[in-house]
Amino acid sequence: SPAIIAAVERLMRRVEDFPAAGVQFCDLTPVLADPDGFDAVVAGLVASHEIGSVDYVAGLDARGFLLAGAVAVQLHTGVLAIRKAGKLPPPVHSRSYELEYGAATLELPADGLDLRGKRVLVVDDVLATGGTLGAAVGLLDDCGAVVAGLSVVLEVPGLGGRDRLAGTPLTCLTVA
Ligand code: PRP
């Protein structure tokens, strides 16, 4: 919507050469810190889903956590934190992936949470190469879950993210 695009363009901070030379970092912190900005992006992420169509909303470490909690309340679901490696006690499901810079691993608890057949909406702040969301899809697949959708606030085009995620419904509220 125009309100979301305006809020993101007004408030987003673009940082050159972070965290590596040649990478532009799109920081949505000021959007989420703004009451109207946060309200607009949460409403946008909720809009493409009906109550009852999703069992869990999962947020990706770290800014995805902020969005997932708010979206989950709106969709009347539970919330999941998909963690970076080394935070959870064993046993865990885990998936490694490549970043624009280096590599990383995402994890979910393997005990105490049964995702078999559950419909999970995955939310994050930014889609760039799609490595992070792609790993989340693989991780949820390992857990037996059904990925109901992938929703992000900002798509950075030209890095192949959209192609890498082909096959799973993808919603991007704005484009960098
Ligand atoms: C950023 C962003 C996404 C990811 C997108 O997180 O919040 O999660 O990169 O990039 P990709 O599409 O190329 O995978 P980052 O890895 O910087 O971690 P952070 O949220 O812990 O800062």
Short mmCIF file of all heavy atoms in Angstrom, two decimals, residues 104-140:
data_model
loop_
_atom_site.label_atom_id
_atom_site.label_comp_id
_atom_site.label_asym_id
_atom_site.label_seq_id
_atom_site.Cartn_x
_atom_site.Cartn_y
_atom_site.Cartn_z
N ALA A 104 25.91 -19.19 7.74
CA ALA A 104 25.19 -19.18 9.01
C ALA A 104 24.33 -20.43 9.09
O ALA A 104 24.18 -21.16 8.12
CB ALA A 104 24.34 -17.92 9.12
N THR A 105 23.76 -20.66 10.27
CA THR A 105 22.90 -21.82 10.51
C THR A 105 21.66 -21.38 11.26
O THR A 105 21.75 -20.54 12.17
CB THR A 105 23.67 -22.88 11.33
OG1 THR A 105 24.83 -23.28 10.61
CG2 THR A 105 22.81 -24.11 11.60
N LEU A 106 20.52 -21.90 10.85
CA LEU A 106 19.26 -21.64 11.55
C LEU A 106 18.81 -22.89 12.28
O LEU A 106 19.02 -24.01 11.78
CB LEU A 106 18.16 -21.22 10.56
CG LEU A 106 18.36 -19.91 9.83
CD1 LEU A 106 17.16 -19.65 8.90
CD2 LEU A 106 18.52 -18.75 10.80
N GLU A 107 18.16 -22.71 13.43
CA GLU A 107 17.74 -23.86 14.24
C GLU A 107 16.35 -23.66 14.84
O GLU A 107 15.92 -22.54 15.11
CB GLU A 107 18.74 -24.08 15.39
CG GLU A 107 20.13 -24.46 14.89
CD GLU A 107 21.13 -24.75 15.98
OE1 GLU A 107 20.90 -24.35 17.15
OE2 GLU A 107 22.16 -25.38 15.67
N LEU A 108 15.68 -24.81 15.05
CA LEU A 108 14.43 -24.89 15.81
C LEU A 108 14.57 -26.05 16.79
O LEU A 108 15.26 -27.03 16.50
CB LEU A 108 13.25 -25.18 14.88
CG LEU A 108 12.53 -24.00 14.23
CD1 LEU A 108 11.55 -24.50 13.19
CD2 LEU A 108 11.83 -23.14 15.28
N PRO A 109 13.87 -25.99 17.91
CA PRO A 109 13.91 -27.12 18.84
C PRO A 109 13.34 -28.37 18.18
O PRO A 109 12.35 -28.31 17.46
CB PRO A 109 13.00 -26.67 20.00
CG PRO A 109 12.92 -25.20 19.89
CD PRO A 109 13.04 -24.88 18.43
N ALA A 110 13.97 -29.51 18.45
CA ALA A 110 13.49 -30.78 17.91
C ALA A 110 12.59 -31.50 18.92
O ALA A 110 11.90 -32.45 18.56
CB ALA A 110 14.65 -31.68 17.51
N ASP A 111 12.59 -31.07 20.18
CA ASP A 111 11.71 -31.65 21.20
C ASP A 111 10.77 -30.57 21.72
O ASP A 111 11.10 -29.39 21.73
CB ASP A 111 12.53 -32.18 22.39
CG ASP A 111 13.08 -33.57 22.13
OD1 ASP A 111 12.80 -34.13 21.05
OD2 ASP A 111 13.79 -34.08 23.01
N GLY A 112 9.58 -31.00 22.14
CA GLY A 112 8.65 -30.07 22.78
C GLY A 112 7.83 -29.26 21.80
O GLY A 112 7.06 -28.38 22.21
N LEU A 113 7.99 -29.53 20.52
CA LEU A 113 7.28 -28.76 19.49
C LEU A 113 7.05 -29.71 18.32
O LEU A 113 8.01 -30.21 17.74
CB LEU A 113 8.17 -27.59 19.04
CG LEU A 113 7.65 -26.71 17.91
CD1 LEU A 113 6.45 -25.89 18.39
CD2 LEU A 113 8.75 -25.76 17.42
N ASP A 114 5.79 -30.00 18.03
CA ASP A 114 5.48 -30.93 16.92
C ASP A 114 4.87 -30.14 15.77
O ASP A 114 3.72 -29.71 15.84
CB ASP A 114 4.52 -32.01 17.40
CG ASP A 114 4.26 -33.06 16.32
OD1 ASP A 114 4.85 -32.94 15.22
OD2 ASP A 114 3.47 -33.98 16.59
N LEU A 115 5.67 -29.91 14.74
CA LEU A 115 5.22 -29.09 13.61
C LEU A 115 4.69 -29.93 12.45
O LEU A 115 4.34 -29.37 11.41
CB LEU A 115 6.36 -28.19 13.12
CG LEU A 115 6.79 -27.11 14.11
CD1 LEU A 115 7.97 -26.32 13.55
CD2 LEU A 115 5.63 -26.17 14.43
N ARG A 116 4.60 -31.24 12.65
CA ARG A 116 4.17 -32.09 11.52
C ARG A 116 2.77 -31.71 11.06
O ARG A 116 1.83 -31.68 11.86
CB ARG A 116 4.22 -33.57 11.92
CG ARG A 116 5.65 -34.10 12.02
CD ARG A 116 5.68 -35.51 12.55
NE ARG A 116 5.19 -35.55 13.93
CZ ARG A 116 5.10 -36.67 14.64
NH1 ARG A 116 5.42 -37.84 14.12
NH2 ARG A 116 4.65 -36.62 15.89
N GLY A 117 2.67 -31.33 9.78
CA GLY A 117 1.38 -30.97 9.19
C GLY A 117 0.91 -29.57 9.54
O GLY A 117 -0.15 -29.15 9.08
N LYS A 118 1.69 -28.84 10.33
CA LYS A 118 1.27 -27.49 10.72
C LYS A 118 1.62 -26.48 9.63
O LYS A 118 2.68 -26.56 8.98
CB LYS A 118 1.96 -27.07 12.02
CG LYS A 118 1.66 -27.98 13.19
CD LYS A 118 0.18 -27.99 13.53
CE LYS A 118 -0.07 -28.81 14.79
NZ LYS A 118 -1.50 -28.96 15.04
N ARG A 119 0.73 -25.50 9.45
CA ARG A 119 0.92 -24.46 8.43
C ARG A 119 1.65 -23.27 9.07
O ARG A 119 1.14 -22.69 10.03
CB ARG A 119 -0.42 -24.03 7.86
CG ARG A 119 -1.18 -25.19 7.20
CD ARG A 119 -2.65 -24.88 7.10
NE ARG A 119 -3.24 -24.66 8.42
CZ ARG A 119 -4.51 -24.27 8.62
NH1 ARG A 119 -5.31 -24.05 7.60
NH2 ARG A 119 -4.95 -24.09 9.85
N VAL A 120 2.80 -22.94 8.54
CA VAL A 120 3.65 -21.91 9.16
C VAL A 120 3.87 -20.76 8.17
O VAL A 120 4.30 -20.97 7.03
CB VAL A 120 5.01 -22.50 9.57
CG1 VAL A 120 5.87 -21.43 10.23
CG2 VAL A 120 4.82 -23.69 10.51
N LEU A 121 3.56 -19.56 8.61
CA LEU A 121 3.89 -18.34 7.88
C LEU A 121 5.22 -17.83 8.41
O LEU A 121 5.38 -17.63 9.62
CB LEU A 121 2.80 -17.29 8.09
CG LEU A 121 3.11 -15.87 7.62
CD1 LEU A 121 3.29 -15.82 6.10
CD2 LEU A 121 2.01 -14.90 8.06
N VAL A 122 6.19 -17.61 7.52
CA VAL A 122 7.53 -17.14 7.92
C VAL A 122 7.65 -15.65 7.58
O VAL A 122 7.36 -15.25 6.45
CB VAL A 122 8.63 -17.92 7.17
CG1 VAL A 122 10.01 -17.45 7.62
CG2 VAL A 122 8.47 -19.42 7.40
N VAL A 123 8.05 -14.86 8.56
CA VAL A 123 8.20 -13.43 8.32
C VAL A 123 9.62 -12.97 8.66
O VAL A 123 10.28 -13.51 9.54
CB VAL A 123 7.18 -12.58 9.11
CG1 VAL A 123 5.76 -12.98 8.75
CG2 VAL A 123 7.39 -12.66 10.59
N ASP A 124 10.08 -11.98 7.91
CA ASP A 124 11.38 -11.37 8.18
C ASP A 124 11.34 -9.92 7.72
O ASP A 124 10.40 -9.50 7.05
CB ASP A 124 12.50 -12.15 7.49
CG ASP A 124 13.86 -11.94 8.15
OD1 ASP A 124 13.95 -11.20 9.16
OD2 ASP A 124 14.84 -12.49 7.64
N ASP A 125 12.38 -9.18 8.05
CA ASP A 125 12.40 -7.78 7.64
C ASP A 125 12.81 -7.64 6.18
O ASP A 125 12.14 -6.95 5.41
CB ASP A 125 13.27 -6.92 8.58
CG ASP A 125 14.73 -7.37 8.63
OD1 ASP A 125 15.03 -8.55 8.32
OD2 ASP A 125 15.57 -6.53 8.99
N VAL A 126 13.92 -8.30 5.78
CA VAL A 126 14.50 -8.06 4.46
C VAL A 126 14.74 -9.38 3.73
O VAL A 126 15.24 -10.35 4.31
CB VAL A 126 15.85 -7.31 4.60
CG1 VAL A 126 16.52 -7.15 3.24
CG2 VAL A 126 15.64 -5.94 5.25
N LEU A 127 14.41 -9.41 2.43
CA LEU A 127 14.82 -10.49 1.52
C LEU A 127 15.94 -9.94 0.64
O LEU A 127 15.75 -8.95 -0.07
CB LEU A 127 13.64 -10.92 0.64
CG LEU A 127 13.99 -11.79 -0.58
CD1 LEU A 127 14.58 -13.12 -0.16
CD2 LEU A 127 12.75 -11.99 -1.45
N ALA A 128 17.10 -10.57 0.70
CA ALA A 128 18.22 -10.17 -0.17
C ALA A 128 18.54 -11.34 -1.09
O ALA A 128 17.90 -11.52 -2.12
CB ALA A 128 19.40 -9.72 0.67
N THR A 129 19.52 -12.19 -0.74
CA THR A 129 19.84 -13.34 -1.59
C THR A 129 18.82 -14.46 -1.44
O THR A 129 18.80 -15.40 -2.26
CB THR A 129 21.21 -13.94 -1.21
OG1 THR A 129 21.13 -14.50 0.10
CG2 THR A 129 22.31 -12.89 -1.25
N GLY A 130 18.01 -14.41 -0.39
CA GLY A 130 17.06 -15.50 -0.13
C GLY A 130 17.67 -16.67 0.60
O GLY A 130 16.98 -17.65 0.87
N GLY A 131 18.95 -16.57 0.94
CA GLY A 131 19.60 -17.66 1.66
C GLY A 131 18.95 -17.95 3.00
O GLY A 131 18.74 -19.11 3.38
N THR A 132 18.60 -16.88 3.72
CA THR A 132 18.02 -17.04 5.05
C THR A 132 16.63 -17.66 4.97
O THR A 132 16.33 -18.65 5.64
CB THR A 132 17.96 -15.68 5.77
OG1 THR A 132 19.25 -15.08 5.74
CG2 THR A 132 17.52 -15.85 7.20
N LEU A 133 15.77 -17.09 4.12
CA LEU A 133 14.42 -17.65 4.00
C LEU A 133 14.46 -19.05 3.40
O LEU A 133 13.67 -19.92 3.78
CB LEU A 133 13.54 -16.73 3.15
CG LEU A 133 12.93 -15.54 3.89
CD1 LEU A 133 12.33 -14.55 2.90
CD2 LEU A 133 11.86 -15.99 4.87
N GLY A 134 15.38 -19.28 2.46
CA GLY A 134 15.51 -20.62 1.88
C GLY A 134 15.89 -21.64 2.94
O GLY A 134 15.34 -22.76 2.95
N ALA A 135 16.78 -21.28 3.83
CA ALA A 135 17.16 -22.19 4.92
C ALA A 135 15.99 -22.41 5.85
O ALA A 135 15.79 -23.53 6.35
CB ALA A 135 18.36 -21.61 5.68
N ALA A 136 15.20 -21.37 6.09
CA ALA A 136 14.02 -21.52 6.96
C ALA A 136 13.02 -22.49 6.34
O ALA A 136 12.43 -23.32 7.05
CB ALA A 136 13.37 -20.15 7.19
N VAL A 137 12.84 -22.41 5.03
CA VAL A 137 11.94 -23.35 4.33
C VAL A 137 12.46 -24.77 4.49
O VAL A 137 11.69 -25.70 4.81
CB VAL A 137 11.80 -22.97 2.84
CG1 VAL A 137 11.08 -24.08 2.06
CG2 VAL A 137 11.08 -21.64 2.68
N GLY A 138 13.76 -24.97 4.31
CA GLY A 138 14.34 -26.30 4.46
C GLY A 138 14.21 -26.82 5.88
O GLY A 138 13.89 -27.99 6.11
N LEU A 139 14.43 -25.93 6.84
CA LEU A 139 14.33 -26.30 8.24
C LEU A 139 12.90 -26.72 8.59
O LEU A 139 12.68 -27.74 9.26
CB LEU A 139 14.75 -25.09 9.09
CG LEU A 139 14.78 -25.23 10.58
CD1 LEU A 139 15.81 -26.27 11.02
CD2 LEU A 139 15.09 -23.87 11.22
N LEU A 140 11.93 -25.95 8.15
CA LEU A 140 10.52 -26.28 8.43
C LEU A 140 10.12 -27.57 7.72
O LEU A 140 9.34 -28.36 8.26
CB LEU A 140 9.62 -25.11 8.03
CG LEU A 140 9.73 -23.92 8.98
CD1 LEU A 140 9.13 -22.67 8.37
CD2 LEU A 140 9.06 -24.23 10.32
#
